[in-house]
């Protein structure tokens, strides 16, 4: 069968168009009618815009990636909410337990204050019950050794109207300028022989200060030095002799330049120690230290501090001044006697405001007194006959490189300046 030239030309054109649209496909082997239909449908169905690809970075609506992201956000939000609730619950729990702890501590403090027994009331009750069972001569104190119970009560300790000297602390605001101490010792000077009864000797305040400890300057007690009024003339004479050369020892008072020189000597660690050591050792003076604690304490605590000071001072005299008089056995026995005067190992209380009085007579015998600040009763706790113990204890407040209270030492020196500016034999009308 022969093919016309027009049909052959048309068939070739259709084949070229088909091969250009589908390069990988082989030329169709079909009838001319099917070829024309395929060519016509191919030309009319060409795409006008690119189709979206599943590899595009933007997820389409309803895709698994978009659903996963929405679900992940919901899960994260719910997790954060649960964490916030748990943290809030823990905070509330801690605050509740802290409140319980504060309430418990408050109740414990009030319970301790209200239920803590007063040692003085217990002592009075014990004394009353014991006195009912035994004769008065055999009454035994339960809070102190027998040496205290059998001691002497000083009748001169009752409160009297006296001028009050400010101390500089609100805990113990005032010290009396004049106190009275019973003494059965013989007169120390001719002037004191005319004072009448030896059971009530008047003492005048020379100076006072506050004892502090640690770098925080915690106040422990207020201490003041008193001297018997009849012995002030002897103290004046000894101070004048320390400032004036021996060739001018007839002087009875000091001029301002001599007062300044004496003040420097008393404040000097070495010279001041020499002067006070001579005065206290054989000056024939009756002196006393009045100590009032600014907080509740006990006699054992004070006693240990005194013993440490006396021991350190004795070692200083032995090593620096080559004085071996404090290294023998008799001095050790005297120190034990001093410990016994404070009650030995009994931890007897000394409440705030009560008074510890250390009195030293003209021969150096020291007597320890305890005075109730409310009742005014003064009880003798014990005595120490060896003058060396009292002398070292006195020097611990008056002289040396390290003193128990620097304020007290300087105030005592100022009081001595008031003495030496008056003629020997006159009594200062105002001290401190």
């Amino acid at each position: 069968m022969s093919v016309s030239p027009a049909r052959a030309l048309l068939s070739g054109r259709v084949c070229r168009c088909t091969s250009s649209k589908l390069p990988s496909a082989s030329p169709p082997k079909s009838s001319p009618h099917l070829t024309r239909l395929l060519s016509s449908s191919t030309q009319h169905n060409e795409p006008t815009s690119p189709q979206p690809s599943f590899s595009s970075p933007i997820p389409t609506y309803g895709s698994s990636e978009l659903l996963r992201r929405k679900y992940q956000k919901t899960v994260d939000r719910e997790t954060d909410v649960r964490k916030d609730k748990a943290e809030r619950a823990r905070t509330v729990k801690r605050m509740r337990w802290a409140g319980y702890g504060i309430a418990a501590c408050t109740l414990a403090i009030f319970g301790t204050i209200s239920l803590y027994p007063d040692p003085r009331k217990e002592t009075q009750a014990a004394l009353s019950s014991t006195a009912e069972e035994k004769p008065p001569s055999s009454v035994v104190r339960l809070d102190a050794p027998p040496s205290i119970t059998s001691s002497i009560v000083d009748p001169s300790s009752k409160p009297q109207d006296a001028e009050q000297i400010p101390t500089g602390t609100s805990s113990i605001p005032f010290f009396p300028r004049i106190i009275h101490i019973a003494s059965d010792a013989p007169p120390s000077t001719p002037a004191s022989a005319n004072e009448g009864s030896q059971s009530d000797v008047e003492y005048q305040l020379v100076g006072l200060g506050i004892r502090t400890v640690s770098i925080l300057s915690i106040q422990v007690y207020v201490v003041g030095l008193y001297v018997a009024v009849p012995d002030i003339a002897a103290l004046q004479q000894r101070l004048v002799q320390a400032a004036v050369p021996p060739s001018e020892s007839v002087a009875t008072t000091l001029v301002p330049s001599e007062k300044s020189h004496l003040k420097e000597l008393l404040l000097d660690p070495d010279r001041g120690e020499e002067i006070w050591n001579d005065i206290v050792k054989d000056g024939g003076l009756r002196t006393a230290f009045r100590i009032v604690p600014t907080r509740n304490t006990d006699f054992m605590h004070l006693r240990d501090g005194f013993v440490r000071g006396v021991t350190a001072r004795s070692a200083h005299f032995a090593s620096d001044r080559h004085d071996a008089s404090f290294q023998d056995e008799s001095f050790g026995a005297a120190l034990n006697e001093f410990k016994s005067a404070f009650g030995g190992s009994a931890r007897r209380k000394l409440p705030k405001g009560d008074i510890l009085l250390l009195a030293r007579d003209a021969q150096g015998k020291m007597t320890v007194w305890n005075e109730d600040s409310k009742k005014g009763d003064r009880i003798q706790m014990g005595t120490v006959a060896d003058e060396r113990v009292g002398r070292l204890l006195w020097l611990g407040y008056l002289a040396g490189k390290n003193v128990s209270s620097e304020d007290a030492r300087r105030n005592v020196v100022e009081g001595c300046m008031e003495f030496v500016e008056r003629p020997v034999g006159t009594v200062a009308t105002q001290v401190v």
Side-chain angles (χ1 to χ4, degrees):
M1 180 178 178
S2 63
V3 181
S4 63
R7 182 174 292 180
L9 180 62
L10 181 60
S11 299
R13 186 176 180 181
V14 171
C15 291
R16 285 194 300 273
C17 293
T18 303
S19 61
S20 63
K21 298 295 182 181
L22 301 171
S24 60
S26 59
K29 297 179 181 181
S30 61
S31 63
H33 179 70
L34 181 59
T35 303
R36 286 195 301 272
L37 182 60
L38 180 60
S39 176
S40 176
S41 62
T42 303
Q43 292 177 358
H44 288 286
N45 293 331
E46 286 186 356
T48 58
S49 61
Q51 296 296 326
S53 173
F54 288 100
S55 62
S56 174
I58 301 177
T60 59
Y61 179 78
S63 65
S64 60
E65 179 67 20
L66 183 60
L67 293 176
R68 187 185 66 79
R69 292 184 181 181
K70 288 184 176 181
Y71 178 75
Q72 185 66 31
K73 290 181 179 179
T74 304
V75 172
D76 294 342
R77 190 179 301 110
E78 292 178 354
T79 303
D80 293 341
V81 170
R82 286 196 298 270
K83 289 182 178 179
D84 293 341
K85 289 182 178 179
E87 183 65 26
R88 191 179 300 110
R90 286 193 294 268
T91 303
V92 171
K93 185 177 180 180
R94 286 195 295 266
M95 293 176 63
R96 185 181 298 112
W97 281 107
Y100 292 157
I102 293 174
C105 292
T106 304
L107 293 176
I109 292 173
F110 280 105
T112 303
I113 294 174
S114 60
L115 298 178
Y116 190 81
D118 190 347
R120 286 177 291 184
K121 292 182 179 179
E122 290 185 349
T123 301
Q124 294 297 332
L127 287 174
S128 301
S129 61
T130 308
E132 294 176 357
E133 299 175 358
K134 298 182 179 181
S137 60
S138 60
V139 174
V140 178
R141 292 279 298 273
L142 298 181
D143 61 342
S147 60
I148 298 178
T149 62
S150 59
S151 58
I152 303 171
V153 177
D154 187 358
S156 64
S157 62
K158 297 300 180 181
Q160 302 177 9
D161 295 333
E163 182 182 354
Q164 300 294 313
I165 305 299
T167 62
T169 176
S170 59
S171 301
I172 309 296
F174 300 103
F175 256 37
R177 193 175 73 89
I178 298 294
I179 63 174
H180 296 81
I181 302 176
S183 174
D184 295 329
S188 58
T189 61
S192 63
N194 300 323
E195 67 184 9
S197 175
Q198 295 293 321
S199 61
D200 189 2
V201 181
E202 188 178 78
Y203 285 71
Q204 180 172 317
L205 180 64
V206 181
L208 56 82
I210 303 172
R211 160 72 170 168
T212 59
V213 295
S214 79
I215 59 175
L216 301 178
S217 297
I218 300 175
Q219 297 180 357
V220 181
Y221 56 76
V222 183
V223 57
L225 174 65
Y226 289 79
V227 60
V229 172
D231 299 339
I232 291 180
L235 176 60
Q236 289 175 306
Q237 186 64 43
R238 296 300 297 266
L239 293 174
V240 170
Q241 292 175 357
V244 178
S247 59
E248 303 177 11
S249 59
V250 295
T252 60
T253 185
L254 298 181
V255 298
S257 60
E258 293 172 338
K259 282 181 53 180
S260 177
H261 177 60
L262 175 62
K263 184 176 180 179
E264 293 179 359
L265 291 177
L266 294 178
L267 292 177
D268 183 77
D270 297 327
R271 291 289 294 122
E273 189 175 60
E274 293 178 2
I275 295 173
W276 281 116
N277 183 55
D278 293 339
I279 293 176
V280 176
K281 181 179 180 180
D282 54 5
L285 305 178
R286 289 169 292 181
T287 54
F289 273 110
R290 186 176 189 265
I291 298 173
V292 183
T294 58
R295 60 186 64 206
N296 295 335
T297 183
D298 55 71
F299 287 101
M300 182 181 293
H301 179 73
L302 292 175
R303 181 207 67 187
D304 292 343
F306 294 149
V307 171
R308 284 195 299 269
V310 170
T311 304
R313 188 74 57 165
S314 65
H316 159 67
F317 268 77
S319 60
D320 299 338
R321 295 188 175 276
H322 307 289
D323 186 351
S325 61
F326 303 99
Q327 304 300 317
D328 56 9
E329 295 182 358
S330 61
F331 179 75
L335 198 57
N336 291 330
E337 187 179 2
F338 175 73
K339 295 178 182 179
S340 300
F342 279 85
S345 60
R347 189 172 288 277
R348 183 166 178 247
K349 301 295 183 181
L350 181 63
K352 170 186 174 182
D354 277 13
I355 301 166
L356 174 65
L357 198 62
L358 306 176
R360 195 170 185 269
D361 65 11
Q363 287 71 39
K365 177 183 177 181
M366 182 173 59
T367 305
V368 181
W369 300 88
N370 176 217
E371 180 178 336
D372 191 327
S373 60
K374 296 180 180 179
K375 298 181 180 180
D377 295 332
R378 185 184 298 161
I379 300 177
Q380 180 178 316
M381 299 174 59
T383 60
V384 182
D386 196 324
E387 67 87 20
R388 293 175 293 179
V389 176
R391 174 156 48 106
L392 293 184
L393 186 59
W394 261 233
L395 292 178
Y397 289 100
L398 298 176
K401 295 181 180 179
N402 298 315
V403 292
S404 298
S405 173
E406 183 63 30
D407 292 339
R409 193 258 292 269
R410 291 186 174 275
N411 214 327
V412 167
V413 172
E414 293 295 336
C416 292
M417 298 302 102
E418 295 287 336
F419 285 151
V420 297
E421 71 180 6
R422 295 172 172 81
V424 173
T426 61
V427 178
T429 58
Q430 178 68 34
V431 182
V432 181

